[in-house]
Amino acid sequence: MSPLPLVDPDPKATPLTLVTDKAFGAWRDTQGDAVKAWLSTNDFSGKAGEVCLTPLEDGAVGQVVVGIGDGADKWVAGRLARSLPEGTYCLEQITGIEDEKAQVSTWLALSWCLGAYTFDRYKSESPTNPSKLVWPEDIDRAYVEGAAQATTLTRDLINTPAEDMGPAALAAAAEELADTHGAAINIVLGDDLLSENFPAIHAVGRAADVAPRLIDLTWGKADAPKVTLVGKGVCFDSGGLNIKPTNGMRWMKKDMGGGATVLGLADWIMRAKLSVRLRVLVPAVENAISGNAFRPGDVVPTRKGPTIEVGNTDAEGRVVLADALALACEESPSLLIDCATLTGAARVALGPDLPALFTPDDSLAKELMSAGMANNDPLWRLPLWAGYRRLIESKIADVSNSGESGFAGAITAALFLKTFVSEDTPWVHLDLFGWNPDDKPGRPMGGEAYAQRAIFEVIRNRFA
Ligand code: BES
Ligand code: MN
Ligand code: ZN
């Protein structure tokens, strides 16, 4: 992993000032005449996103002034690492913002890092360097490092094509992570899924050349509160025999985005040494087409017991998660969170930027929503509406993996998962996109670690 673009104090660093539109006038009056004139020549007024480089007498850059408007747009620093002339910058001041300074500069440093990211594994030309920021004073360095590394790991895993990030490679990435942090890891591979009672994971993954497997990582003191994270690890989703059309299949390398998100979180939690007993479960499969593929109409047994009628082989994520959630509940964790690129319906409802949050637990929902808001990582709750359970009833099995009607697709998927979760386990399901469909400041197009900062804060607050 490339080092963060944050460096120790450097006397040659170019000073950087962030200013609101309201505070701009008073700030400008503190500047010398040449700078004042240059700012007005450039029509700088402190609007969000405005950037002005002021020159020294020799033509070099004297300082950078960045407008942050009314301060509502939290992502203005997200573009700086890749838009300023390459160099080293240091935060001189932030004017006009009421929020606590340490918090503002912590977020500034993190959003700088998030925007510095590029994925150049397959580029022949050597990658360009982002501009560096001198670590601002009084900031929570561990938070910035933990979050930035976690996001980078998640993005890299998602961006890597399925050919190089199949079930074996995803398991190898988890093994490397376990190695780094001294975690234990167990992989249930191929036909062992049958003998160890994970029939649903096997059914979905058996048609692929790279065998399906269940990644099971554990870390931390045995007597600490148990936190279990489950992530959908469908390394490529062709749709199976209910094959996806061209556009629907194009980005399905990202269908392990939930798994990538929980692996990134695991990296952060272990780096921060939170006092929890962490468990990460990722059923890693490819939803492929072959003579032995599972079929529409098949009935699949599960670890917990309820049988699943396969209404549609493209609703594969919930089938593999059924066995992983059942295993998770067997040790009654204090908190169980699953992340999955589960339905197109969640995207229709909330768009790519807002993961859909489902939980029967009102206080957990509240905690996650407010941690999301506080960490620029918003989520939105949708209901586990019991009245829609009838939409996934099966005539011949205990539950169907797809509603005939398509109504409330994200909700019926969440209700399906609930079938495999114990009543007494505090549980949250996040249906997330895992992907930035276009370039935005701090959020380059491609894999994205949605919900990571929100979840981390909730775990830290609850257990640390
Ligand atoms: N991985 C997809 C869902 C998805 C598609 C997420 C595009 C994000 C972007 C999932 O496996 C799937 O295909 N779901 C189907 C379910 C349906 C067949 C009941 C869907 O949402 O259409
Ligand atoms: Mn699918
Ligand atoms: Zn899928």
Side-chain angles (χ1 to χ4, degrees):
M1 213 171 285
S2 45
L4 296 181
L6 294 169
V7 295
D8 289 331
D10 176 349
K12 292 198 293 286
T14 306
L16 179 74
T17 291
L18 271 59
V19 61
T20 59
D21 47 10
K22 277 215 185 95
F24 172 65
W27 175 81
R28 183 193 46 210
D29 293 344
T30 67
Q31 301 296 302
D33 287 343
V35 169
K36 274 187 208 155
W38 183 253
L39 288 164
S40 64
T41 302
N42 285 279
D43 270 342
F44 187 92
S45 64
K47 280 201 218 53
E50 277 181 355
V51 175
C52 187
L53 312 182
T54 66
L56 297 174
E57 271 170 36
D58 64 358
V61 180
Q63 62 174 332
V64 176
V65 194
V66 178
I68 52 175
D70 61 4
D73 179 356
K74 301 296 180 202
W75 287 98
V76 274
R79 55 163 24 150
L80 298 176
R82 293 269 167 203
S83 64
L84 294 176
E86 195 196 323
T88 301
Y89 297 84
C90 73
L91 181 61
E92 175 139 305
Q93 53 177 329
I94 303 174
T95 44
I97 290 275
E98 303 288 309
D99 307 12
E100 201 196 323
K101 181 158 175 271
Q103 216 176 323
V104 177
S105 26
T106 297
W107 174 244
L108 174 88
L110 177 53
S111 51
W112 185 287
C113 295
L114 298 179
Y117 176 89
T118 51
F119 182 67
D120 34 43
R121 173 168 169 181
Y122 300 94
K123 288 281 191 191
S124 308
E125 270 170 44
S126 54
T128 57
N129 296 317
S131 285
K132 313 272 190 296
L133 180 71
V134 171
W135 279 105
E137 278 167 36
D138 307 323
I139 75 170
D140 186 348
R141 284 199 187 198
Y143 174 86
V144 173
E145 273 164 350
Q149 302 285 16
T151 301
T152 301
L153 174 60
T154 300
R155 287 174 175 176
D156 283 348
L157 292 173
I158 297 174
N159 286 332
T160 304
E163 177 68 7
D164 294 328
M165 193 47 67
L170 189 58
E175 276 168 337
E176 196 185 318
L177 191 64
D179 213 46
T180 305
H181 298 288
I185 187 161
N186 180 44
I187 312 269
V188 185
L189 174 64
D191 288 345
D192 288 351
L193 289 166
L194 295 175
S195 56
E196 294 191 30
N197 196 21
F198 299 100
I201 298 173
H202 186 271
V204 172
R206 72 190 181 205
D209 274 344
V210 181
R213 62 206 72 199
L214 175 63
I215 300 165
D216 183 353
L217 177 151
T218 48
W219 173 89
K221 293 206 180 71
D223 57 355
K226 292 186 171 62
V227 172
T228 299
L229 305 174
V230 175
K232 172 176 171 181
V234 175
C235 294
F236 189 76
D237 183 8
S238 70
L241 290 171
N242 292 116
I243 190 167
K244 285 182 183 291
T246 303
N247 291 339
M249 206 188 298
R250 174 63 182 91
W251 298 110
M252 282 299 119
K253 68 172 181 180
K254 78 172 173 80
D255 213 19
M256 31 59 78
T261 300
V262 298
L263 288 173
L265 261 169
D267 178 53
W268 191 1
I269 290 167
M270 295 189 287
R271 191 187 300 266
K273 300 197 163 52
L274 297 191
S275 36
V276 296
R277 204 302 305 269
L278 176 69
R279 187 177 198 185
V280 176
L281 297 171
V282 179
V285 303
E286 179 178 345
N287 190 15
I289 297 175
S290 183
N292 66 340
F294 77 135
R295 312 164 189 83
D298 282 355
V299 174
V300 174
T302 65
R303 179 177 188 83
K304 193 178 182 200
T307 53
I308 301 170
E309 183 181 12
V310 179
N312 190 320
T313 61
D314 198 9
E316 82 298 336
R318 65 195 77 182
V319 179
V320 297
L321 289 172
D323 278 354
L325 289 169
L327 174 66
C329 290
E330 286 166 20
E331 59 172 10
S332 306
S334 302
L335 179 60
L336 170 61
I337 301 181
D338 79 73
C339 296
T341 51
L342 204 63
T343 69
R347 273 346 85 210
V348 173
L350 297 175
D353 296 354
L354 284 175
L357 179 169
F358 296 88
T359 177
D361 184 329
D362 291 345
S363 63
L364 201 44
K366 247 191 222 148
E367 281 174 53
L368 266 165
M369 298 254 302
S370 69
M373 290 305 177
N375 289 274
N376 302 308
D377 189 21
L379 319 158
W380 213 264
R381 191 182 190 186
L382 292 181
L384 276 166
W385 185 252
Y388 290 155
R389 186 61 172 65
R390 66 187 156 80
L391 299 176
I392 49 168
E393 265 157 27
S394 161
K395 286 266 186 300
I396 65 164
D398 297 325
V399 63
S400 166
N401 79 332
S402 72
E404 296 287 317
S405 68
F407 287 142
I411 297 175
T412 52
L415 289 169
F416 176 97
L417 296 182
K418 190 167 179 281
T419 312
F420 299 92
V421 175
S422 312
E423 284 285 328
D424 54 358
T425 299
W427 165 65
V428 180
H429 159 56
L430 297 172
D431 191 336
L432 45 83
F433 198 53
W435 191 259
N436 292 314
D438 43 34
D439 274 319
K440 294 191 289 296
R443 293 147 297 171
M445 189 228 162
E448 186 56 283
Y450 288 103
Q452 216 164 45
R453 293 185 295 276
I455 297 172
F456 181 85
E457 175 152 326
V458 167
I459 294 174
R460 182 166 61 175
N461 287 346
R462 282 207 162 196
F463 305 106

